[in-house]
Amino acid sequence: MTRLSSMREDVFARIDGGAEEIRTNTSYYWDNSKRLESNRINLQRTLSGEGFFEESNGRRYAVPQGTMMAFTQRENSRYGYPATGSQPYHLQYLSIDSSASANPLFNRIRQDFGPVLSIPDQSESGILFQEAYERFNQGNFRDRYHESELIIRLFTAIYRQQVAETQGSNPIEYCYHLLHNRYADAITLKGIAKTCGVTREHLIRAFTKRYHTSPGAMLRELRLSHAKGMLESTSLPIEQIAAASGFSSSNVFCRAFRNTYHTSPARHRSLLR
């Protein structure tokens, strides 16, 4: 009889490989689609020199110092030492087992920012990468939960680093992440536009063109979704839920809720019960 524990998906992330290498010629080349290993997550950081990463559509990225490539084994992509390389490619990598806790974060990073990511040495993400690498090679994680916690912190820091760098290079995308991170705060479109370094009018126009909804509509949707979840999972008063979801008053919240869900917050909660 199969034990129940063996049938459960392991939610705790685990590092199963990590090394530092120096490559000097084009014989260093991997085609992920032809690898036989399981669908592991790989984070490969450039310490000096430069590598390359190529997607299935042929788009090629340089991976210089201060960046890393992020991919899964068996995906349709390739990487290695570029034919034009003039300096040794000094790299450091971590291989992370597929898990229920790591996969969603990794997939979101790839979806939002692509396969080549910023990871400056003294950034939070760079420091956490180095800690995870050293602890793996020294075998001094406190336990498997500490190991999983560090991996999740690393993914979160990587995501945060990419968001921060979009502020100057891509203010409209930065607005998107700002809305998702701060919708519960008392923010306004005017304040968001100022933070992003653009005018309110430009923000609305460019944001709507890119995301097919206005920033105001997205902000309202995020707040309502959060409030709806609180209504369904807590017994907090309507006033507290409204405040915790970023609404200026319970009246504003109730009006927005009714317009979207065609019922009042109180009635929605009572019907669930």
Side-chain angles (χ1 to χ4, degrees), residues 42 44 53-55 59 61 63 68-71 75 77 109-111 113-117:
N42 273 41
Q44 184 159 308
F53 185 87
E54 186 177 276
E55 294 184 304
R59 181 177 180 184
Y61 302 82
V63 190
M68 72 177 176
M69 58 182 82
F71 58 91
E75 71 175 47
S77 62
I109 291 169
R110 278 291 300 264
Q111 174 187 324
F113 300 108
V116 177
L117 309 164

Side-chain angles (χ1 to χ4, degrees), residues 23-253:
R23 300 289 181 167
T24 58
N25 59 61
T26 54
S27 65
Y28 179 66
Y29 174 87
W30 289 93
D31 185 336
N32 286 316
S33 66
K34 297 179 179 179
R35 300 179 82 153
L36 301 177
E37 298 93 333
S38 61
N39 194 32
R40 296 190 185 105
I41 295 168
N42 273 41
L43 305 178
Q44 184 159 308
R45 175 186 183 188
T46 301
L47 299 179
S48 64
E50 184 176 284
F52 78 85
F53 185 87
E54 186 177 276
E55 294 184 304
S56 58
N57 59 9
R59 181 177 180 184
R60 179 177 276 215
Y61 302 82
V63 190
Q65 182 178 352
T67 67
M68 72 177 176
M69 58 182 82
F71 58 91
T72 58
Q73 296 177 5
R74 289 191 179 175
E75 71 175 47
N76 188 6
S77 62
R78 289 149 291 283
Y79 67 95
Y81 181 86
T84 56
S86 59
Q87 296 180 352
Y89 174 36
H90 187 184
L91 66 97
Q92 197 177 57
Y93 75 84
L94 289 173
S95 179
I96 298 168
D97 258 2
S98 176
S99 71
S101 57
N103 286 3
L105 274 171
F106 175 79
N107 292 338
R108 183 62 183 272
I109 291 169
R110 278 291 300 264
Q111 174 187 324
D112 288 359
F113 300 108
V116 177
L117 309 164
S118 174
I119 183 168
D121 287 346
Q122 296 308 310
S123 65
E124 180 187 13
S125 54
I127 291 169
L128 287 171
F129 186 103
Q130 191 63 31
E131 180 182 353
Y133 174 82
E134 291 176 358
R135 284 187 179 276
F136 169 75
N137 282 284
Q138 295 167 9
N140 67 352
F141 291 109
R142 292 196 300 272
D143 50 39
R144 65 194 302 258
Y145 314 117
H146 175 225
E147 181 177 8
S148 181
E149 176 191 19
L150 185 54
I151 293 167
I152 301 307
R153 285 175 59 206
L154 170 60
F155 281 147
T156 303
I158 290 169
Y159 195 95
R160 184 183 292 119
Q161 178 70 34
Q162 312 319 302
V163 170
E165 294 197 4
T166 63
Q167 182 172 9
S169 63
N170 196 330
I172 305 306
E173 183 176 333
Y174 183 67
C175 172
Y176 174 90
H177 295 293
L178 200 62
L179 290 175
H180 280 75
N181 283 317
R182 296 186 53 195
Y183 64 84
D185 297 342
I187 56 176
T188 64
L189 289 187
K190 183 178 180 180
I192 291 172
K194 184 177 180 180
T195 300
C196 295
V198 296
T199 66
R200 182 177 180 276
E201 292 71 24
H202 174 73
L203 175 67
I204 293 172
R205 184 171 58 252
F207 189 98
T208 303
K209 182 178 180 180
R210 179 176 300 187
Y211 297 108
H212 309 293
T213 187
S214 70
M218 182 174 285
L219 179 59
R220 184 168 55 253
E221 181 182 349
L222 289 166
R223 286 172 168 172
L224 283 170
S225 178
H226 182 261
K228 186 170 178 282
M230 292 187 72
L231 280 171
E232 295 170 353
S233 61
T234 76
S235 57
L236 290 172
I238 300 297
E239 292 78 9
Q240 288 188 32
I241 290 176
S245 302
F247 290 96
S248 58
S249 70
S250 58
N251 287 336
V252 172
F253 165 52

